[in-house]
Amino acid sequence: MRNLYILFALILLLSCGQNSHEITSANASLMEVIPEAKAVDLANGNTSTPTDSVAVSIDKKIIKSANLDIEVSNLEKAKQNIQEGLKKNKGYIQNETFSSQPDRDVVSFFIKVPNENFDALINSFSTGLGDLISKNVKSDDVTEEYTDISIRLNNKLAFLDKYRDLLKQTNSTKDILEIQEKIRALEEEIDSAKGRLKFIDDRVKYSTIDMTIAKIKPQNSVTSKIGFGTKFLDSISQGWNNFVDFLLGLVSFWPFLLIIPVLIFHWKKWKARRKK
């Protein structure tokens, strides 16, 4: 009986040793998984880790734009003065349109000029082209947006490097596919952020001016004196045209005009039979 107790004790000790070895192996496997989980948390936007804190120093980002409406006495001369001002301030016309209206001819310009020459060009247009009808100058501070995008971009680049390193260490097909999908999504977000930053940089570097110059057409004094008579004749003509349109509208209903007499004839015939 004593021998049986001793054998049971030996078996229990061996069992405890085996369980301890399994626990140690499991803990080792868990430690191998931790870096992968940490990288996943970072890519998902978890900012609790200290490694994703990126210091970004951004200069002021100011987008300047203006709207000008100027009345000139000579369109061609005004256009020459505009070209001279642009050449002096290193600006250029991105778009130009012309329209002729009953009382004026209008030329519209969409101009881009380096930010540092924006104020000088605005002043030259305001005082050297003609009579300034309206002027609106606007400055938008986009420094905060630019800084936020830059920080997010740097973080995503750091996450992308972590995923690429993790991809080299992974052997599981499932994990490889998941990591590749994460990398693809990060690359798209990075391209989008870079595009937005480039757009802001371009707007900051080159200010825009939306300007119109107009020449008032001279009014004929003879036409002004007989203006009432002309308008009276036009009104008579318009009245006649409206009457003709009304008649033509009635003619368009000719099938109904033919059907109505037939209906009246049959109705009277039916009524006469009913009386008899």
Side-chain angles (χ1 to χ4, degrees):
M1 189 68 177
R2 183 178 180 182
N3 292 335
L4 290 177
Y5 285 141
I6 294 173
L7 180 61
F8 179 76
L10 290 175
I11 293 174
L12 183 61
L13 289 174
L14 291 175
S15 176
C16 291
Q18 183 177 2
N19 290 340
S20 176
H21 177 71
E22 290 178 355
I23 292 173
T24 303
S25 300
N27 288 336
S29 300
L30 182 59
M31 293 301 294
E32 293 176 357
V33 175
I34 286 176
E36 180 177 353
K38 182 178 179 181
V40 173
D41 289 340
L42 287 172
N44 288 334
N46 187 348
T47 58
S48 60
T49 55
T51 57
D52 65 346
S53 177
V54 182
V56 178
S57 178
I58 303 294
D59 296 331
K60 274 285 186 180
K61 300 290 182 179
I62 307 295
I63 297 177
K64 295 182 179 180
S65 61
N67 293 86
L68 298 177
D69 188 6
I70 301 173
E71 189 175 296
V72 300
S73 58
N74 188 312
L75 283 179
E76 293 303 322
K77 184 178 179 180
K79 290 173 67 175
Q80 291 178 2
N81 293 336
I82 291 172
Q83 290 292 348
E84 292 175 1
L86 291 174
K87 184 177 180 180
K88 182 179 179 180
N89 293 281
K90 300 180 181 180
Y92 65 94
I93 297 174
Q94 182 172 322
N95 188 32
E96 177 181 344
T97 59
F98 170 81
S99 64
S100 180
Q101 302 173 8
D103 61 335
R104 66 184 61 197
D105 291 330
V106 180
V107 183
S108 300
F109 302 95
F110 187 75
I111 296 170
K112 286 192 172 184
V113 61
N115 186 283
E116 60 272 15
N117 299 333
F118 174 78
D119 294 331
L121 187 61
I122 288 292
N123 292 333
S124 68
F125 287 164
S126 301
T127 59
L129 291 181
D131 297 330
L132 182 64
I133 306 302
S134 65
K135 176 181 177 180
N136 181 27
V137 180
K138 184 171 64 172
S139 297
D140 293 328
D141 189 345
V142 294
T143 308
E144 183 178 354
E145 178 188 0
Y146 195 94
T147 303
D148 182 65
I149 296 175
S150 298
I151 293 174
R152 292 177 182 273
L153 175 60
N154 289 337
N155 286 339
K156 290 181 186 298
L157 289 172
F159 301 156
L160 183 62
D161 291 338
K162 291 180 182 294
Y163 268 122
R164 286 173 175 169
D165 292 340
L166 184 61
L167 184 62
K168 296 176 183 179
Q169 304 171 7
T170 304
N171 296 323
S172 171
T173 303
K174 180 181 178 181
D175 292 342
I176 289 175
L177 294 176
E178 290 180 356
I179 295 172
Q180 287 177 341
E181 178 62 24
K182 292 288 186 181
I183 291 175
R184 183 194 64 79
L186 276 174
E187 288 175 340
E188 290 181 356
E189 294 174 3
I190 289 171
D191 290 340
S192 177
K194 288 181 177 179
R196 180 59 182 172
L197 291 179
K198 185 178 183 303
F199 174 78
I200 294 176
D201 284 332
D202 291 342
R203 291 293 306 276
V204 170
K205 184 178 180 181
Y206 279 92
S207 302
T208 59
I209 302 174
D210 196 350
M211 181 174 67
T212 61
I213 58 174
K215 176 186 176 183
I216 305 299
K217 293 181 179 179
Q219 298 294 323
N220 191 330
S221 59
V222 176
T223 304
S224 299
K225 291 180 180 179
I226 63 174
F228 175 78
T230 302
K231 292 180 179 179
F232 180 76
L233 294 176
D234 289 341
S235 298
I236 294 176
S237 176
Q238 185 63 37
W240 173 255
N241 291 334
N242 292 338
F243 177 71
V244 172
D245 292 338
F246 174 73
L247 291 179
L248 293 176
L250 290 178
V251 172
S252 65
F253 287 97
W254 67 267
F256 298 98
L257 297 177
L258 292 179
I259 294 174
I260 290 174
V262 174
L263 293 176
I264 293 175
F265 172 77
H266 284 287
W267 179 75
K268 288 184 177 180
K269 189 175 180 181
W270 173 79
K271 191 174 181 181
R273 288 180 180 178
R274 187 174 180 183
K275 287 182 179 180
K276 291 180 179 181

